[in-house]
Amino acid sequence: MAGAIPRCSVRHLQRLFGSCSISAPVRSVRTSSCNRAEEIVIPNRIPRSSTDILEALASTVGRDSSGPHYKYSDDPYLTPASNVAKRSFSLSKESGRKAARWIRDKHSDLFTHRPEDPFIEAFYPKISFTDESDVSEDTLRELMQKCMVSDAIQVYQICKTKGVELSDSVRQELLEFLGYYNCEDALDEDWVEERWYRQGIMSRDRIRNTWKDHGLAEELFKSLSHQGSPAYCALIRGMTRYYQVDRAWQMYQETLEKGIPLDTETYNSLIRVASLMREGSDLRWKLVKEILTAMSEAGVRPNLGTLNSTLESLSQIASWRQTKNLSLQVMAEFNRLGIQASLASYYFLLIIHCRERGPISHILIDIMNHIADKEFSIQDPKDTFFFVTAMDVCRNHLHSKELAKRVDDLLHTGNNYMLIGDSYKESIYYRHYFALSCSTDTVDQFMELYNELVPHIYTPEPGVMEELLKALKVHEALEYLPQLWSDMIVFDHTSREKLLMSVLSAMTCHQPSEDNTKLTEQLATIAWDLWTRVQRMEEDRRNKITWSGPMIGDLLTTLVRCGEYSKGVEVMQKISADPHIVLGSATVDSLQTLLDAAIGNDEADTGVMVVVYAVDAGHQEAADMAKKLGSSLTLNAEHRAKLTSVLGIDIIADLKEKEISES
Amino acid sequence: MITTTTMASATGSRCLYRTLFHRYGLLSRGQVRSQCSVPPEDGKAPEKQESAEAKANEKKAAAKKKLNDLLASLATTDRIPVERTNSLKLSQPKPRQKTKAPKTEAEVPPPPPEEQVIEPELAAATKEVAKSLGGDVEATESELLSTLKSHALDTSASEKPSANLSELFVGLKVERSQSKPVFERPRRKRYDRDDHQRMQQGTQRPDEYVRPTRVTSREYVKTDIFGGEPLKIFSCEESKAKEIVESACPVWDATHAREIQQTVVQPPSNAFVEMIQWTRQGKLWTFPIDNEIGLEEEKKIGFQEHVFLEQHLEGWCPRRGPIRHFMELVCTGLSKNPYLTVERKKAHIMWYKNYFEEKHDILKEIGAIEA
């Protein structure tokens, strides 16, 4: 992956060197030797931006899946593997930056030494405003440029108290700005990690009316001397963005009455929330159509946003029978207008067509046929939802590994990877990809994928790990179990009961033979490690693992089968001394395995212990086990007394009697 | 013998409920009784029970869960191994140790008639308790019975008159949650409103997920994504002809573009990307390296103004002599200095001018200036 220069980098380099393509000088040199008439044409200088060289260089560096991400410290000890570690490492790095910035802004008087020329603004404390500050329209514009919402509000208030006259144009700009942010501070653009980890949480509860009624934005709207089209547009956009739907609709009616024209984006925002204004699918669609017709009548040109908003409101009535057909009609309509669909449009199509309980739709295949090998840039906020949803459809709807591979290829085309969205979507994307591969591929194919992505690109969640372990058990590919176990330790999965259960039950499938002695040893080590880990957990731990009957049975079976008989006995001693550590009791099969091993090792003590435990556990087979023990080994008086006391009859005597009577 | 056992068991169960009530304050007596359908001691059973059942129906779900939780908490306490003295009966299996798999009647033999330690009335009561607990009724019942049996044995032996509660319950397996089938529901992760609602409604779904029978086969059916019948709301010609201002809110659009761009920003993936980021923030010298970066003021001033400084001597400096010689050297020095701005260089020269004017008399005296 890292060796070959990616295609995009060649393109970059070509752009960088312009017409002086790499092959051109070679050819001219050759021809000049035989024909001197041909001249070397020196190309004109092509102006470059300051980042072009860096971009060309950066595009030669691919993602190295064998090492940690660049953002982590270059120190093996500090390489995170589990999801929690990844998250906390990157966020703590950023929080260090935040702390530094806080100090700088809090004590701005200490940072006055400015030796450098030119002046670097990013290194200096931000200007704070007080009531005495000298402010003007330009200050406001600058603050809007820098996206500082609360400062802009403060400066506006200062202007008001000091009586600084603000023109209508700056008021309009401020109205748009505050309407967009709903008078709340936006996340600073420097906090990349926070945004990367936050979006998943943010996107969940968004459909709520959070618009600040009668806030500063509305005050600005009223303060305008002439409330024209831009003012109405800005306010309606703001209200719909924060789901103040009723009042936005009122404003829209006002514009209709007063004959104020609206622009495309404002119509789009109304379409987007249209389904919140009506109940019932057909009424909702009717409203959307109404707005679209109004747009057409007003001679407003639709754009990509119109397409996506229409599809979005259709996706909210996706259970309606006509929706699928309508969505295709909408696509056709906008295609006719020459508007290119973005990934968000395809995302909405997927939602509409691939319903959880609906009939299977193969629309993803058609979409992939259409967009394969294309490069995308972000055009719509929902563009980032496409890849994760497409992978979801591949896994849950179509169960197609080939299609998943195509989606993955598209994701790794050009700069498309940036459209994965955020950490949350990325991990869901890989979760689906993994689970699909796990259920459709052979184990070897799957482990190839696993080795490529884990742990630096993706850390499997416990659920995925469980599925993986089950797959290993089904395919009897236990040779991968040691690797998975060490990964589980690193990922901090060893305190999850379900996973331990899966590991133990997978290990019981192992049949030791001459060929796999190494694996046998490893499995025994794993079993013993698992036991000691669980035993080491503190009693007051919140989710301490309690041994269950099948688990302890599997553990005993594995230990005995893999040649760690003495350790098996140790476990047996522990559980017969403290039966309360096991919920239920060890399975009969495991006890019989242990008994056989005890007989094989000529250890009557252990045998008796096993039989006593079996009796206490209420296993029906206890008597048979006792008979087997009695007939295979010679027991001393103490053993016999013990057996007699638990079983109530002297088995050995019984046996002898039987022998006598038989003979 | 029989009556005492009944009494003991009845007291036992009553004491159990009292303990539940006192210790945990979770259930009122009436609730418990109606839940468990234990016949009340006084004879008003029928009508009371009916009304109690009506009540129970309302609170059934909540109370059942509470009771289950409570029993679960009891079941996890330490098990006290019960000494078995009556050895002859031990060859009988103890059903409580079976695995959690649902049991059928055949697997769990009813208590053999010869060891009738539990009175039939109590057995009936146990049955009802088991029923009201829900889940696998038979399993619960047999577990309860076997527990009661060992309890009865202990009391009849009169060694331990009243065993503690946790012992009574320890072998009892209690459903920790509503039993769910192992089917894995293909869970969709979608982020739209629809999904949000669906997730909220998810609790109301029936527990058993039945995979929907797909209407169509898995054969690929082609869908032409652009092949639908157009809506014909917009007409192409008009939209091309009429050039209307696209947006009325430029600041909004700029802000939106910036925010959208930020949603796809990822932590820098290598040092070059990080340098790009720094360049954009103005923290780094731009490539290709240019020494004059950021010297905008200086760019307005030509090269000659830095180098040819003798013009500033015109008008005050003598044409020849030591002062002229000295000032020419000063000009040469200044013209070679890259660190000073032209303003500073001029100021330098002007300083000498003032200096020599101050010392005009002395200079004249010693003949450095021609008269």
PDB file of all heavy atoms in Angstrom, chain A residues 7-8 371-376 387 406-418:
ATOM      1  N   ARG A   7      -2.606   6.778  -7.298  1.00  0.00           N
ATOM      2  CA  ARG A   7      -2.919   7.436  -8.547  1.00  0.00           C
ATOM      3  C   ARG A   7      -3.069   8.945  -8.369  1.00  0.00           C
ATOM      4  O   ARG A   7      -2.619   9.741  -9.153  1.00  0.00           O
ATOM      5  CB  ARG A   7      -4.205   6.834  -9.092  1.00  0.00           C
ATOM      6  CG  ARG A   7      -4.477   7.145 -10.519  1.00  0.00           C
ATOM      7  CD  ARG A   7      -5.377   6.074 -11.074  1.00  0.00           C
ATOM      8  NE  ARG A   7      -6.348   5.730 -10.043  1.00  0.00           N
ATOM      9  CZ  ARG A   7      -7.646   5.968 -10.161  1.00  0.00           C
ATOM     10  NH1 ARG A   7      -8.111   6.529 -11.234  1.00  0.00           N
ATOM     11  NH2 ARG A   7      -8.476   5.622  -9.223  1.00  0.00           N
ATOM     12  N   CYS A   8      -3.727   9.296  -7.276  1.00  0.00           N
ATOM     13  CA  CYS A   8      -4.002  10.719  -7.091  1.00  0.00           C
ATOM     14  C   CYS A   8      -2.710  11.520  -6.979  1.00  0.00           C
ATOM     15  O   CYS A   8      -2.640  12.675  -7.361  1.00  0.00           O
ATOM     16  CB  CYS A   8      -4.862  10.923  -5.870  1.00  0.00           C
ATOM     17  SG  CYS A   8      -4.145  10.250  -4.407  1.00  0.00           S
ATOM     18  N   ILE A 371     -21.673   5.556  -9.640  1.00  0.00           N
ATOM     19  CA  ILE A 371     -20.680   6.427  -9.005  1.00  0.00           C
ATOM     20  C   ILE A 371     -19.330   5.764  -8.773  1.00  0.00           C
ATOM     21  O   ILE A 371     -18.443   6.378  -8.194  1.00  0.00           O
ATOM     22  CB  ILE A 371     -21.185   6.982  -7.654  1.00  0.00           C
ATOM     23  CG1 ILE A 371     -21.513   5.854  -6.683  1.00  0.00           C
ATOM     24  CG2 ILE A 371     -22.359   7.895  -7.857  1.00  0.00           C
ATOM     25  CD1 ILE A 371     -21.877   6.354  -5.306  1.00  0.00           C
ATOM     26  N   ALA A 372     -19.153   4.526  -9.206  1.00  0.00           N
ATOM     27  CA  ALA A 372     -17.880   3.855  -8.959  1.00  0.00           C
ATOM     28  C   ALA A 372     -16.732   4.673  -9.546  1.00  0.00           C
ATOM     29  O   ALA A 372     -16.869   5.306 -10.596  1.00  0.00           O
ATOM     30  CB  ALA A 372     -17.907   2.462  -9.577  1.00  0.00           C
ATOM     31  N   ASP A 373     -15.620   4.670  -8.845  1.00  0.00           N
ATOM     32  CA  ASP A 373     -14.390   5.344  -9.282  1.00  0.00           C
ATOM     33  C   ASP A 373     -14.506   6.857  -9.355  1.00  0.00           C
ATOM     34  O   ASP A 373     -13.616   7.519  -9.886  1.00  0.00           O
ATOM     35  CB  ASP A 373     -13.929   4.835 -10.659  1.00  0.00           C
ATOM     36  CG  ASP A 373     -13.628   3.356 -10.615  1.00  0.00           C
ATOM     37  OD1 ASP A 373     -13.232   2.902  -9.520  1.00  0.00           O
ATOM     38  OD2 ASP A 373     -13.803   2.668 -11.627  1.00  0.00           O
ATOM     39  N   LYS A 374     -15.587   7.420  -8.885  1.00  0.00           N
ATOM     40  CA  LYS A 374     -15.679   8.877  -8.901  1.00  0.00           C
ATOM     41  C   LYS A 374     -15.114   9.436  -7.604  1.00  0.00           C
ATOM     42  O   LYS A 374     -15.154   8.791  -6.567  1.00  0.00           O
ATOM     43  CB  LYS A 374     -17.147   9.299  -9.036  1.00  0.00           C
ATOM     44  CG  LYS A 374     -17.611   9.318 -10.467  1.00  0.00           C
ATOM     45  CD  LYS A 374     -18.938  10.039 -10.567  1.00  0.00           C
ATOM     46  CE  LYS A 374     -19.552   9.772 -11.928  1.00  0.00           C
ATOM     47  NZ  LYS A 374     -20.953  10.143 -11.984  1.00  0.00           N
ATOM     48  N   GLU A 375     -14.638  10.669  -7.723  1.00  0.00           N
ATOM     49  CA  GLU A 375     -14.164  11.333  -6.513  1.00  0.00           C
ATOM     50  C   GLU A 375     -15.195  12.354  -6.090  1.00  0.00           C
ATOM     51  O   GLU A 375     -15.781  13.032  -6.913  1.00  0.00           O
ATOM     52  CB  GLU A 375     -12.848  12.045  -6.796  1.00  0.00           C
ATOM     53  CG  GLU A 375     -11.653  11.197  -6.481  1.00  0.00           C
ATOM     54  CD  GLU A 375     -10.386  12.018  -6.530  1.00  0.00           C
ATOM     55  OE1 GLU A 375     -10.302  12.990  -5.769  1.00  0.00           O
ATOM     56  OE2 GLU A 375      -9.518  11.684  -7.329  1.00  0.00           O
ATOM     57  N   PHE A 376     -15.401  12.451  -4.797  1.00  0.00           N
ATOM     58  CA  PHE A 376     -16.412  13.376  -4.319  1.00  0.00           C
ATOM     59  C   PHE A 376     -15.790  14.390  -3.372  1.00  0.00           C
ATOM     60  O   PHE A 376     -14.792  14.130  -2.718  1.00  0.00           O
ATOM     61  CB  PHE A 376     -17.507  12.615  -3.572  1.00  0.00           C
ATOM     62  CG  PHE A 376     -18.354  11.783  -4.472  1.00  0.00           C
ATOM     63  CD1 PHE A 376     -18.003  10.465  -4.746  1.00  0.00           C
ATOM     64  CD2 PHE A 376     -19.476  12.308  -5.072  1.00  0.00           C
ATOM     65  CE1 PHE A 376     -18.770   9.701  -5.587  1.00  0.00           C
ATOM     66  CE2 PHE A 376     -20.249  11.543  -5.914  1.00  0.00           C
ATOM     67  CZ  PHE A 376     -19.895  10.242  -6.175  1.00  0.00           C
ATOM     68  N   PHE A 387     -21.527   6.473   3.186  1.00  0.00           N
ATOM     69  CA  PHE A 387     -20.720   5.256   3.235  1.00  0.00           C
ATOM     70  C   PHE A 387     -21.172   4.308   4.328  1.00  0.00           C
ATOM     71  O   PHE A 387     -21.284   3.106   4.116  1.00  0.00           O
ATOM     72  CB  PHE A 387     -19.238   5.607   3.390  1.00  0.00           C
ATOM     73  CG  PHE A 387     -18.633   6.082   2.114  1.00  0.00           C
ATOM     74  CD1 PHE A 387     -18.334   7.413   1.929  1.00  0.00           C
ATOM     75  CD2 PHE A 387     -18.400   5.200   1.084  1.00  0.00           C
ATOM     76  CE1 PHE A 387     -17.797   7.851   0.737  1.00  0.00           C
ATOM     77  CE2 PHE A 387     -17.866   5.631  -0.112  1.00  0.00           C
ATOM     78  CZ  PHE A 387     -17.562   6.963  -0.289  1.00  0.00           C
ATOM     79  N   ARG A 406     -16.933  -3.204  -3.240  1.00  0.00           N
ATOM     80  CA  ARG A 406     -17.022  -2.065  -4.161  1.00  0.00           C
ATOM     81  C   ARG A 406     -17.198  -0.765  -3.396  1.00  0.00           C
ATOM     82  O   ARG A 406     -16.592   0.257  -3.734  1.00  0.00           O
ATOM     83  CB  ARG A 406     -18.193  -2.267  -5.128  1.00  0.00           C
ATOM     84  CG  ARG A 406     -17.896  -3.264  -6.218  1.00  0.00           C
ATOM     85  CD  ARG A 406     -19.090  -3.453  -7.114  1.00  0.00           C
ATOM     86  NE  ARG A 406     -19.302  -2.304  -7.987  1.00  0.00           N
ATOM     87  CZ  ARG A 406     -20.366  -2.151  -8.764  1.00  0.00           C
ATOM     88  NH1 ARG A 406     -21.302  -3.060  -8.769  1.00  0.00           N
ATOM     89  NH2 ARG A 406     -20.491  -1.096  -9.529  1.00  0.00           N
ATOM     90  N   VAL A 407     -18.030  -0.813  -2.371  1.00  0.00           N
ATOM     91  CA  VAL A 407     -18.235   0.392  -1.555  1.00  0.00           C
ATOM     92  C   VAL A 407     -16.913   0.788  -0.896  1.00  0.00           C
ATOM     93  O   VAL A 407     -16.527   1.959  -0.874  1.00  0.00           O
ATOM     94  CB  VAL A 407     -19.326   0.149  -0.495  1.00  0.00           C
ATOM     95  CG1 VAL A 407     -19.404   1.316   0.471  1.00  0.00           C
ATOM     96  CG2 VAL A 407     -20.664  -0.076  -1.147  1.00  0.00           C
ATOM     97  N   ASP A 408     -16.196  -0.213  -0.406  1.00  0.00           N
ATOM     98  CA  ASP A 408     -14.927   0.068   0.257  1.00  0.00           C
ATOM     99  C   ASP A 408     -13.914   0.647  -0.731  1.00  0.00           C
ATOM    100  O   ASP A 408     -13.146   1.549  -0.389  1.00  0.00           O
ATOM    101  CB  ASP A 408     -14.394  -1.212   0.893  1.00  0.00           C
ATOM    102  CG  ASP A 408     -13.311  -0.919   1.901  1.00  0.00           C
ATOM    103  OD1 ASP A 408     -13.578  -0.117   2.807  1.00  0.00           O
ATOM    104  OD2 ASP A 408     -12.201  -1.455   1.762  1.00  0.00           O
ATOM    105  N   ASP A 409     -13.934   0.126  -1.949  1.00  0.00           N
ATOM    106  CA  ASP A 409     -13.032   0.671  -2.967  1.00  0.00           C
ATOM    107  C   ASP A 409     -13.357   2.130  -3.260  1.00  0.00           C
ATOM    108  O   ASP A 409     -12.456   2.951  -3.422  1.00  0.00           O
ATOM    109  CB  ASP A 409     -13.142  -0.144  -4.262  1.00  0.00           C
ATOM    110  CG  ASP A 409     -12.434  -1.464  -4.129  1.00  0.00           C
ATOM    111  OD1 ASP A 409     -11.633  -1.578  -3.188  1.00  0.00           O
ATOM    112  OD2 ASP A 409     -12.679  -2.377  -4.935  1.00  0.00           O
ATOM    113  N   LEU A 410     -14.646   2.416  -3.329  1.00  0.00           N
ATOM    114  CA  LEU A 410     -15.042   3.798  -3.586  1.00  0.00           C
ATOM    115  C   LEU A 410     -14.576   4.704  -2.446  1.00  0.00           C
ATOM    116  O   LEU A 410     -14.101   5.811  -2.675  1.00  0.00           O
ATOM    117  CB  LEU A 410     -16.568   3.895  -3.732  1.00  0.00           C
ATOM    118  CG  LEU A 410     -17.096   5.288  -3.998  1.00  0.00           C
ATOM    119  CD1 LEU A 410     -16.699   5.755  -5.386  1.00  0.00           C
ATOM    120  CD2 LEU A 410     -18.604   5.357  -3.851  1.00  0.00           C
ATOM    121  N   LEU A 411     -14.685   4.190  -1.250  1.00  0.00           N
ATOM    122  CA  LEU A 411     -14.262   4.985  -0.098  1.00  0.00           C
ATOM    123  C   LEU A 411     -12.778   5.309  -0.177  1.00  0.00           C
ATOM    124  O   LEU A 411     -12.338   6.384   0.221  1.00  0.00           O
ATOM    125  CB  LEU A 411     -14.562   4.227   1.201  1.00  0.00           C
ATOM    126  CG  LEU A 411     -14.149   4.911   2.491  1.00  0.00           C
ATOM    127  CD1 LEU A 411     -14.979   6.158   2.719  1.00  0.00           C
ATOM    128  CD2 LEU A 411     -14.299   3.984   3.679  1.00  0.00           C
ATOM    129  N   HIS A 412     -12.007   4.390  -0.717  1.00  0.00           N
ATOM    130  CA  HIS A 412     -10.566   4.612  -0.795  1.00  0.00           C
ATOM    131  C   HIS A 412     -10.125   5.188  -2.129  1.00  0.00           C
ATOM    132  O   HIS A 412      -8.959   5.111  -2.489  1.00  0.00           O
ATOM    133  CB  HIS A 412      -9.815   3.320  -0.481  1.00  0.00           C
ATOM    134  CG  HIS A 412      -9.949   2.929   0.950  1.00  0.00           C
ATOM    135  ND1 HIS A 412     -10.903   2.052   1.402  1.00  0.00           N
ATOM    136  CD2 HIS A 412      -9.288   3.343   2.042  1.00  0.00           C
ATOM    137  CE1 HIS A 412     -10.809   1.928   2.693  1.00  0.00           C
ATOM    138  NE2 HIS A 412      -9.837   2.700   3.128  1.00  0.00           N
ATOM    139  N   THR A 413     -11.062   5.723  -2.884  1.00  0.00           N
ATOM    140  CA  THR A 413     -10.711   6.395  -4.128  1.00  0.00           C
ATOM    141  C   THR A 413     -10.438   7.860  -3.839  1.00  0.00           C
ATOM    142  O   THR A 413     -11.266   8.516  -3.197  1.00  0.00           O
ATOM    143  CB  THR A 413     -11.877   6.294  -5.138  1.00  0.00           C
ATOM    144  OG1 THR A 413     -12.192   4.917  -5.303  1.00  0.00           O
ATOM    145  CG2 THR A 413     -11.503   6.888  -6.470  1.00  0.00           C
ATOM    146  N   GLY A 414      -9.303   8.342  -4.302  1.00  0.00           N
ATOM    147  CA  GLY A 414      -8.993   9.761  -4.152  1.00  0.00           C
ATOM    148  C   GLY A 414      -9.102  10.216  -2.707  1.00  0.00           C
ATOM    149  O   GLY A 414      -8.620   9.558  -1.791  1.00  0.00           O
ATOM    150  N   ASN A 415      -9.759  11.344  -2.542  1.00  0.00           N
ATOM    151  CA  ASN A 415      -9.917  11.888  -1.199  1.00  0.00           C
ATOM    152  C   ASN A 415     -11.251  11.513  -0.575  1.00  0.00           C
ATOM    153  O   ASN A 415     -11.711  12.142   0.355  1.00  0.00           O
ATOM    154  CB  ASN A 415      -9.809  13.412  -1.237  1.00  0.00           C
ATOM    155  CG  ASN A 415      -8.375  13.848  -1.285  1.00  0.00           C
ATOM    156  OD1 ASN A 415      -7.495  13.151  -0.763  1.00  0.00           O
ATOM    157  ND2 ASN A 415      -8.118  14.968  -1.913  1.00  0.00           N
ATOM    158  N   ASN A 416     -11.879  10.468  -1.125  1.00  0.00           N
ATOM    159  CA  ASN A 416     -13.208  10.131  -0.624  1.00  0.00           C
ATOM    160  C   ASN A 416     -13.208   9.736   0.836  1.00  0.00           C
ATOM    161  O   ASN A 416     -14.243   9.788   1.490  1.00  0.00           O
ATOM    162  CB  ASN A 416     -13.805   8.969  -1.432  1.00  0.00           C
ATOM    163  CG  ASN A 416     -14.269   9.435  -2.786  1.00  0.00           C
ATOM    164  OD1 ASN A 416     -14.258  10.627  -3.065  1.00  0.00           O
ATOM    165  ND2 ASN A 416     -14.654   8.506  -3.634  1.00  0.00           N
ATOM    166  N   TYR A 417     -12.028   9.354   1.348  1.00  0.00           N
ATOM    167  CA  TYR A 417     -12.037   8.867   2.732  1.00  0.00           C
ATOM    168  C   TYR A 417     -12.468   9.935   3.713  1.00  0.00           C
ATOM    169  O   TYR A 417     -12.992   9.638   4.771  1.00  0.00           O
ATOM    170  CB  TYR A 417     -10.665   8.305   3.126  1.00  0.00           C
ATOM    171  CG  TYR A 417     -10.777   7.430   4.343  1.00  0.00           C
ATOM    172  CD1 TYR A 417     -11.148   6.099   4.230  1.00  0.00           C
ATOM    173  CD2 TYR A 417     -10.564   7.940   5.615  1.00  0.00           C
ATOM    174  CE1 TYR A 417     -11.308   5.302   5.328  1.00  0.00           C
ATOM    175  CE2 TYR A 417     -10.725   7.146   6.732  1.00  0.00           C
ATOM    176  CZ  TYR A 417     -11.086   5.825   6.584  1.00  0.00           C
ATOM    177  OH  TYR A 417     -11.264   5.028   7.691  1.00  0.00           O
ATOM    178  N   MET A 418     -12.266  11.199   3.318  1.00  0.00           N
ATOM    179  CA  MET A 418     -12.663  12.247   4.258  1.00  0.00           C
ATOM    180  C   MET A 418     -14.180  12.285   4.430  1.00  0.00           C
ATOM    181  O   MET A 418     -14.677  12.827   5.398  1.00  0.00           O
ATOM    182  CB  MET A 418     -12.155  13.604   3.799  1.00  0.00           C
ATOM    183  CG  MET A 418     -12.832  14.120   2.565  1.00  0.00           C
ATOM    184  SD  MET A 418     -12.192  15.739   2.174  1.00  0.00           S
ATOM    185  CE  MET A 418     -13.246  16.183   0.821  1.00  0.00           C
TER     186      MET A 418
END
